[in-house]
Amino acid sequence: MAATITGVITALLLLLNTLILIGPMMLVALLKVILSGSRARQVCSSVVMAIAETWAEICKAIFALMTPTQWEIRGVEDLRGDTSYLVISNHQSWVDIPALIQAFNRKTPYFKFFLKKELIWVPFLGLAFWALDYPFMKRYSKAFLEKYPHLKGKDLEITRQACEKFQGIPVTVVNFLEGTRFTAAKHDNQQSPYRHLLKPKAGGVAFVLAALGDNLDAILDVTILYPEGAPPGFWDLLCGQVDRVVVDVQTRPLKPALWRSDYQEDPVFRAEMQQWVSDLWAQKDARLVQMAEQENQGSAQPAKRAGRD
């Protein structure tokens, strides 16, 4: 009962925070629509980002006040707000999003996700995404392109145009290579070669790099571990039933060779990209095993001392 009450109060505080700050954000977003000068729009974008970062900081404070969750964030000491990053992370739970906020808010540029172009028409939400400069993308399936070959490359062109606003501006783009949250059933169904991960999709990250590669400076390779075992749900987090979350961040260089060619049309480049992603994921899987072993050793140590006492 106490956990449910905690969950309800935490949810209400997060909702209140959102309702208070969404008003100013919508106002600035409307100004951004009305104003025509690029400089004025850039100022509006900066104000919207500041509001979003404030919202995220208040969310962090609410979680700190209402829940006992310990967030262990590793490898963020040298991150900067004037550098552009591509964040690549494993995906297990909706708690991953608060974990990324804990790790990166006000340490890097406010992070963005590539969104389907259709989401811009969602009332209020679409305007908020547009105001936050989230890149909207258009993806055509292989079957669609076989039927309409004259549209080949058009989806990438649309996305590149959407990303022009990032020219010379620091940005952090988040990409979940697995494309969906991890479950044991999905893992078994895929016959994934990894112990703790689903198969990554190289096409998605290749698309992001093709659209934004020249604007990015480094990869932030993020590995999220829930030491208690099964990934918790967001309601578990709100109720204070998530004791600990570990977020390990490794900064990796970005090589221009990763976007030197067309992923769909160049089979050699496609094989190289798939191998790069597979190697990255194998290292991440091994890191998850190592992190879990370290957590188990750490939790066993106090019990051993207690036994000797």
Side-chain angles (χ1 to χ4, degrees):
M1 186 63 180
T4 301
I5 293 172
T6 298
V8 170
I9 295 174
T10 305
L12 289 174
L13 289 173
L14 293 172
L15 178 61
L16 181 62
N17 178 35
T18 303
L19 292 175
I20 290 173
L21 290 180
I22 200 171
M25 179 181 287
M26 290 295 103
L27 178 61
V28 178
L30 289 173
L31 284 174
K32 188 176 174 182
V33 172
I34 295 169
L35 298 174
S36 57
S38 59
R39 175 59 183 165
R41 287 192 169 191
Q42 196 172 48
V43 170
C44 288
S45 292
S46 298
V47 173
V48 169
M49 290 302 144
I51 294 172
E53 289 177 344
T54 301
W55 171 84
E57 282 300 304
I58 295 174
C59 287
K60 287 169 60 176
I62 290 170
F63 283 123
L65 175 67
M66 296 299 302
T67 70
T69 305
Q70 294 181 352
W71 305 89
E72 181 170 339
I73 314 296
R74 307 170 182 169
V76 298
E77 298 79 14
D78 297 326
L79 299 184
R80 297 159 43 188
D82 60 350
T83 297
S84 293
Y85 299 105
L86 171 62
V87 173
I88 293 176
S89 176
N90 59 319
H91 193 20
Q92 304 174 77
S93 162
W94 286 112
V95 181
D96 296 346
I97 305 301
L100 292 178
I101 289 174
Q102 292 283 341
F104 298 127
N105 194 55
R106 289 187 173 165
K107 296 184 181 69
T108 68
Y110 192 78
F111 60 78
K112 309 175 192 301
F113 299 90
F114 272 75
L115 302 173
K116 292 181 179 179
K117 198 173 181 65
E118 292 75 14
L119 288 177
I120 198 171
W121 303 113
V122 177
F124 298 107
L125 197 59
L127 182 60
F129 287 147
W130 179 82
L132 286 164
D133 288 328
Y134 275 42
F136 291 93
M137 66 177 182
K138 184 75 174 178
R139 294 294 302 273
Y140 295 131
S141 67
K142 188 175 181 180
F144 181 88
L145 290 175
E146 288 176 354
K147 190 174 182 180
Y148 303 99
H150 65 285
L151 292 176
K152 190 171 292 185
K154 188 68 176 177
D155 51 356
L156 182 56
E157 180 186 336
I158 292 171
T159 303
R160 278 178 172 157
Q161 289 173 355
C163 295
E164 284 180 357
K165 66 189 77 173
F166 301 136
Q167 292 287 343
I169 299 174
V171 62
T172 300
V173 178
V174 177
N175 191 267
F176 292 114
L177 268 64
E178 293 158 299
T180 184
R181 286 168 290 158
F182 178 95
T183 66
K186 292 175 185 176
H187 183 270
D188 293 342
N189 187 53
Q190 285 188 354
Q191 296 183 327
S192 173
Y194 311 103
R195 289 179 60 181
H196 301 290
L197 300 168
L198 299 178
K199 292 179 180 179
K201 298 180 179 180
V205 71
F207 190 84
V208 172
L209 287 171
L212 264 177
D214 289 329
N215 292 329
L216 299 171
D217 300 309
I219 291 176
L220 299 182
D221 182 7
V222 178
T223 306
I224 302 174
L225 173 71
Y226 299 101
E228 296 161 67
F234 190 65
W235 179 245
D236 297 322
L237 178 66
L238 296 181
C239 292
Q241 296 180 324
V242 179
D243 292 335
R244 183 171 164 81
V245 181
V246 182
V247 182
D248 181 81
V249 182
Q250 297 195 0
T251 303
R252 300 178 180 272
L254 253 177
K255 300 177 181 178
L258 293 172
W259 58 91
R260 65 173 171 78
S261 189
D262 188 319
Y263 182 84
Q264 288 185 329
E265 297 298 318
D266 186 339
V268 174
F269 175 70
R270 183 164 59 248
E272 290 174 355
M273 177 63 72
Q274 290 171 346
Q275 187 60 54
W276 176 75
V277 168
S278 296
D279 292 344
L280 189 70
W281 231 236
Q283 294 170 30
K284 185 181 293 294
D285 198 45
R287 189 153 68 250
L288 274 168
V289 173
Q290 183 183 35
M291 289 165 64
E293 289 174 350
Q294 290 172 347
E295 289 294 320
N296 289 335
Q297 291 171 2
S299 62
Q301 192 63 32
K304 197 177 291 184
R305 285 198 299 269
R308 286 198 300 268
D309 292 338

